Amino acid sequence: MDNFFKAALSVGGLGTVGAAIFFGLYKDWLALDIFTKLSADQTFIIMLVFLGLVFLSLIVLVIAYILKGININSAKATNNSVAIINDKK
């Protein structure tokens, strides 16, 4: 799979990788039986909702990855005492 993404990046760039991921996510999704009962407009709206949810989860994962690298100095005091953080170097 890594070779595929390397080849896709070298041939078509990010658009090709995005199209491959989109196809990988939705190739069996549109073949479900429920879509025969829905109109074309309803199918399009559902597809847009799920596409939005995929991109929203991507944004959440990127933000979580960025926040994971941030060090937050915190201290917890017990017995009603004061916690002091001394981070001067």
Side-chain angles (χ1 to χ4, degrees):
M1 193 56 122
D2 289 336
N3 291 334
F4 170 76
F5 284 120
K6 287 179 186 177
L9 274 173
S10 64
V11 171
L14 289 177
T16 304
V17 173
I21 291 173
F22 180 80
F23 179 72
L25 289 173
Y26 291 104
K27 67 179 176 181
D28 293 330
W29 186 73
L30 290 174
L32 294 174
D33 291 335
I34 192 164
F35 293 110
T36 59
K37 300 173 186 171
L38 298 175
S39 69
D41 291 336
Q42 291 171 333
T43 302
F44 182 70
I45 290 171
I46 289 175
M47 188 172 139
L48 287 180
V49 168
F50 281 111
L51 187 63
L53 291 174
V54 167
F55 282 116
L56 181 65
S57 64
L58 173 68
I59 290 170
V60 168
L61 288 174
V62 168
I63 290 172
Y65 178 76
I66 290 170
L67 291 178
K68 180 182 153 187
I70 297 174
N71 292 331
I72 299 174
N73 292 332
S74 64
K76 188 179 241 183
T78 57
N79 299 331
N80 294 327
S81 60
V82 177
I84 299 173
I85 299 173
N86 186 4
D87 61 354
K88 293 182 181 180
K89 294 181 181 180

